[in-house]
Amino acid sequence: MNRSIVTGGAGFIGSSLVRALLAAGHRVDVIDNLSTGKLDNLEEVADQITVYEYDLCDYQRIAPVIAGAQRVFHLGAIPSVPKSILDPVPSHNSNINGTFNVFRASAEGKVGRVVYAASSSAYGDTEVLPKVETMTPRPKSPYAVQKLLGEYYASVFADCFDLETVSLRFFNVFGPRQDPTSPYSGVLSVFITCALENRSPTIFGDGKQSRDFTYVEDVVGLLMKAADAPASVVSGKVYNAGNGGRFTLNETWELLQQIAGVKLAAKYAAPRAGDVKDSQADTTAAQRDLGHAPHFTFEQGLRRTLEWYRA
Ligand code: UD1
């Protein structure tokens, strides 16, 4: 049976991937230190998987779990731009040292392929949109640097250690199970909770910054495709994992109010340090090499996510 490892499998994207892998007949092992992930996210599939509550910095513990797996999906990270500025040491350790450990354990353990969750934050502010993989990265935050370094390691492990790797630059993923309760929560989980609780959200900056919000199921589909695409085409490479669209935060709050049937003026606060102005994926390479074909428009994803939070 195919054995897949999902690091960060108790997180919101990881737990969706776990479900998709199980549905495709894979055996799934999760490595997650539960720093931001939650076992609740895996509740109804708990008896079909094994969860190892290990930290990715603990090489001696994670290496035997990873050894011999057919696929490793490396999603485990401390995923936040502001957190990487306010508290850089844990995010450095987790996102750089933990990531190195995953690649090292995968190479030594003869894993078939590692699919790495990189980030659109690597682009920083570019003059041209949409953002293409061939652009020179201009990271603006420790988080962006850390995620970019993981891509470089992915490519070097492919070249020097004979490990198949693919990096996917996630573009602001949203959907069910995204945790809205932390100060570092993704903006849509916060906005949706505000709409449902009849509270005004706070927009950092003028709200004209834009994001390519990508529904989690589309990212999960792409992760699976990246695991199966021919190595001669994709190994060692980096692909955008985005929807290809772009909405400002002001437009996003407007749309959400319409869908949720509320009318609440947003509050505005100072812009966040390290924030990228605009983000939008060029999906040409992912379409060509991975067969990427997003199924959900932003509005469709938003409606589904709202329904989930409502329930
Ligand atoms: C960045 C990355 C994304 C990555 C994520 C990990 C970019 C373009 N994207 O997301 O790929 O997965 O880090 O955390 O770099 N905001 C508000 N009010 C709130 C919360 C946020 O206005 O209550 C604003 C932020 O200032 C930002 C936007 O909403 O401008 C999106 O923020 P967030 O959801 O945290 O994601 P990014 O930092 O863009």
Side-chain angles (χ1 to χ4, degrees), residues 79-81 119-121 143 170-172 184-187 190-191 202-204 209 211 249 272 275-276 279:
S80 169
V81 169
S119 170
S120 63
S121 59
Y143 176 77
F170 291 2
F171 278 72
N172 289 73
Y184 309 111
S185 295
V187 68
V190 176
F191 277 16
T202 300
I203 292 180
F204 301 123
Q209 69 267 49
R211 293 291 183 270
L249 289 193
R272 247 172 28 181
D275 227 20
V276 167
S279 185

Coordinates of all heavy atoms in Angstrom, one line a residue, residues 79-81 119-121 143 170-172 184-187 190-191 202-204 209 211 249 272 275-276 279, ligand 1:
P79 N 3.3 29.0 10.4 CA 2.9 29.7 9.1 C 2.4 31.1 9.4 O 1.2 31.4 9.3 CB 1.8 28.8 8.6 CG 1.1 28.3 9.9 CD 2.1 28.3 11.0
S80 N 3.3 32.1 9.6 CA 2.7 33.4 9.8 C 3.9 34.5 9.5 O 4.9 34.4 10.1 CB 2.2 33.6 11.2 OG 2.0 35.0 11.5
V81 N 3.5 35.4 8.7 CA 4.5 36.6 8.5 C 4.7 37.4 9.7 O 5.8 37.5 10.2 CB 4.0 37.4 7.3 CG1 4.8 38.7 7.2 CG2 4.0 36.7 6.0
S119 N 5.9 29.2 -0.3 CA 4.9 30.3 -0.1 C 5.1 31.4 -1.1 O 6.2 31.7 -1.5 CB 5.1 30.9 1.3 OG 4.4 32.1 1.4
S120 N 3.9 31.9 -1.5 CA 3.9 33.1 -2.4 C 4.6 34.3 -1.8 O 5.0 35.2 -2.5 CB 2.5 33.5 -2.7 OG 1.8 33.9 -1.6
S121 N 4.8 34.3 -0.5 CA 5.5 35.4 0.2 C 6.9 35.5 -0.4 O 7.5 36.6 -0.3 CB 5.5 35.2 1.7 OG 6.2 34.0 2.0
Y143 N 9.6 35.0 7.6 CA 8.8 33.9 7.1 C 9.1 33.6 5.6 O 9.3 32.5 5.2 CB 7.3 34.1 7.3 CG 6.4 33.1 6.7 CD1 6.2 31.9 7.4 CD2 5.7 33.3 5.6 CE1 5.4 30.9 6.9 CE2 4.9 32.3 5.0 CZ 4.7 31.1 5.7 OH 3.9 30.1 5.2
F170 N 2.2 28.2 -2.2 CA 0.8 28.4 -1.8 C 0.5 29.9 -1.8 O 1.3 30.7 -1.3 CB 0.5 27.9 -0.4 CG 0.6 26.4 -0.3 CD1 0.9 25.5 -1.3 CD2 0.2 25.8 0.9 CE1 0.9 24.2 -1.2 CE2 0.3 24.4 1.1 CZ 0.6 23.6 0.0
F171 N -0.7 30.2 -2.4 CA -1.2 31.6 -2.4 C -2.4 31.7 -1.5 O -3.5 31.3 -1.8 CB -1.6 32.0 -3.8 CG -0.4 32.4 -4.7 CD1 0.5 31.5 -5.2 CD2 -0.2 33.8 -5.0 CE1 1.6 31.9 -6.0 CE2 0.8 34.2 -5.8 CZ 1.8 33.3 -6.3
N172 N -2.2 32.3 -0.3 CA -3.3 32.5 0.6 C -4.5 31.5 0.5 O -5.5 31.8 0.0 CB -3.8 34.0 0.4 CG -2.7 35.0 0.9 OD1 -1.7 35.2 0.3 ND2 -3.0 35.6 2.1
Y184 N -2.6 35.6 14.7 CA -2.0 35.3 13.4 C -2.8 34.6 12.4 O -2.3 34.1 11.4 CB -0.7 34.5 13.6 CG 0.2 35.1 14.7 CD1 0.4 34.5 15.9 CD2 0.8 36.3 14.5 CE1 1.1 35.0 16.9 CE2 1.6 36.9 15.5 CZ 1.7 36.2 16.7 OH 2.5 36.8 17.7
S185 N -4.1 34.5 12.7 CA -5.0 33.7 11.8 C -5.1 34.3 10.4 O -5.0 35.5 10.3 CB -6.4 33.6 12.4 OG -6.4 32.9 13.6
G186 N -5.3 33.5 9.4 CA -5.5 33.9 8.1 C -6.7 34.9 8.0 O -7.7 34.7 8.7
V187 N -6.6 35.9 7.1 CA -7.6 37.0 7.1 C -9.0 36.5 6.9 O -9.9 37.0 7.5 CB -7.1 38.1 6.2 CG1 -7.2 37.6 4.7 CG2 -8.0 39.3 6.4
V190 N -10.8 35.1 9.9 CA -11.1 36.2 10.8 C -12.3 37.0 10.3 O -13.3 37.2 11.0 CB -9.9 37.2 11.0 CG1 -10.3 38.4 11.8 CG2 -8.7 36.5 11.6
F191 N -12.3 37.3 9.0 CA -13.4 38.1 8.4 C -14.7 37.3 8.5 O -15.8 37.8 8.8 CB -13.1 38.3 6.9 CG -12.3 39.6 6.6 CD1 -11.5 40.2 7.6 CD2 -12.2 40.1 5.4 CE1 -10.7 41.3 7.4 CE2 -11.4 41.2 5.1 CZ -10.7 41.8 6.1
T202 N -11.0 44.3 11.5 CA -10.0 45.3 11.3 C -9.2 45.0 10.1 O -8.7 43.9 9.9 CB -9.1 45.3 12.6 OG1 -9.9 45.6 13.7 CG2 -8.0 46.4 12.5
I203 N -9.1 46.0 9.3 CA -8.2 45.9 8.1 C -6.9 46.6 8.3 O -6.9 47.8 8.7 CB -9.0 46.4 6.8 CG1 -10.1 45.5 6.5 CG2 -8.0 46.6 5.6 CD1 -11.0 46.0 5.3
F204 N -5.8 45.9 8.2 CA -4.5 46.5 8.4 C -4.1 47.3 7.1 O -3.9 46.6 6.1 CB -3.4 45.5 8.8 CG -3.8 44.8 10.1 CD1 -3.9 43.4 10.1 CD2 -4.1 45.5 11.2 CE1 -4.3 42.7 11.2 CE2 -4.4 44.8 12.4 CZ -4.5 43.4 12.4
Q209 N -4.6 46.4 -0.5 CA -3.7 45.3 -0.8 C -4.6 44.1 -1.3 O -5.7 44.0 -0.9 CB -2.9 44.9 0.4 CG -3.6 44.2 1.5 CD -4.0 45.2 2.6 OE1 -4.6 46.3 2.3 NE2 -3.8 44.9 3.9
R211 N -5.0 39.9 -2.7 CA -4.5 38.5 -2.5 C -5.2 37.6 -3.5 O -6.3 37.8 -3.9 CB -4.8 38.0 -1.1 CG -4.0 38.7 0.0 CD -2.5 38.4 0.0 NE -1.8 39.0 1.0 CZ -1.2 40.2 1.0 NH1 -1.4 41.0 -0.1 NH2 -0.5 40.7 2.0
L249 N -8.6 43.6 -0.1 CA -9.3 43.3 1.2 C -10.6 44.0 1.2 O -11.6 43.5 1.8 CB -8.4 43.6 2.4 CG -7.2 42.7 2.6 CD1 -6.6 43.0 4.0 CD2 -7.5 41.2 2.5
R272 N 0.6 46.1 8.4 CA 1.4 45.2 9.2 C 2.8 45.2 8.6 O 3.0 45.2 7.3 CB 0.8 43.8 9.0 CG 0.3 43.2 10.3 CD -0.5 42.0 10.2 NE -0.3 41.0 9.1 CZ -1.0 39.9 9.0 NH1 -1.9 39.6 9.9 NH2 -0.7 39.1 8.1
D275 N 4.2 43.0 5.3 CA 3.1 42.7 4.4 C 3.4 43.0 3.0 O 4.0 44.0 2.6 CB 1.9 43.7 4.8 CG 0.6 42.9 5.0 OD1 0.6 41.7 5.1 OD2 -0.5 43.6 4.9
V276 N 3.0 42.0 2.1 CA 3.2 42.2 0.7 C 2.0 43.0 0.2 O 0.9 42.9 0.7 CB 3.2 40.8 0.0 CG1 3.1 40.9 -1.5 CG2 4.5 40.1 0.4
S279 N -0.7 40.3 -4.5 CA -0.3 38.9 -4.8 C -1.3 38.2 -5.8 O -2.5 38.3 -5.5 CB -0.3 38.1 -3.4 OG 0.2 36.8 -3.6
Ligands
UD1_1 C1 1.3 35.1 3.7 C2 1.5 34.5 2.3 C3 0.8 33.2 2.2 C4 1.1 32.3 3.4 C5 0.8 33.0 4.7 C6 1.1 32.2 5.9 C7 1.8 36.5 0.9 C8 1.2 37.2 -0.2 N1 1.0 35.4 1.3 O1 -0.1 35.5 3.8 O2 1.1 32.6 1.0 O3 0.4 31.1 3.3 O4 1.6 34.2 4.7 O5 0.6 32.8 7.0 O6 2.8 36.8 1.4 N2 -5.2 41.3 7.5 C9 -6.2 42.2 7.9 N3 -6.9 41.9 9.0 C10 -6.8 40.8 9.7 C11 -5.8 39.8 9.3 C12 -5.0 40.1 8.2 O7 -6.3 43.3 7.3 O8 -7.5 40.6 10.7 C13 -4.5 41.6 6.3 C14 -3.0 41.4 6.4 O9 -2.3 42.5 6.8 C15 -2.6 41.1 4.9 C16 -3.8 40.3 4.4 O10 -4.9 40.6 5.3 O11 -2.5 42.2 4.2 C17 -3.6 38.8 4.4 O12 -3.1 38.4 5.7 P1 -2.9 36.9 6.1 O13 -4.2 36.2 5.9 O14 -2.3 36.9 7.4 O15 -1.9 36.3 5.0 P2 -0.6 36.9 4.3 O16 0.3 37.4 5.3 O17 -0.9 37.7 3.1

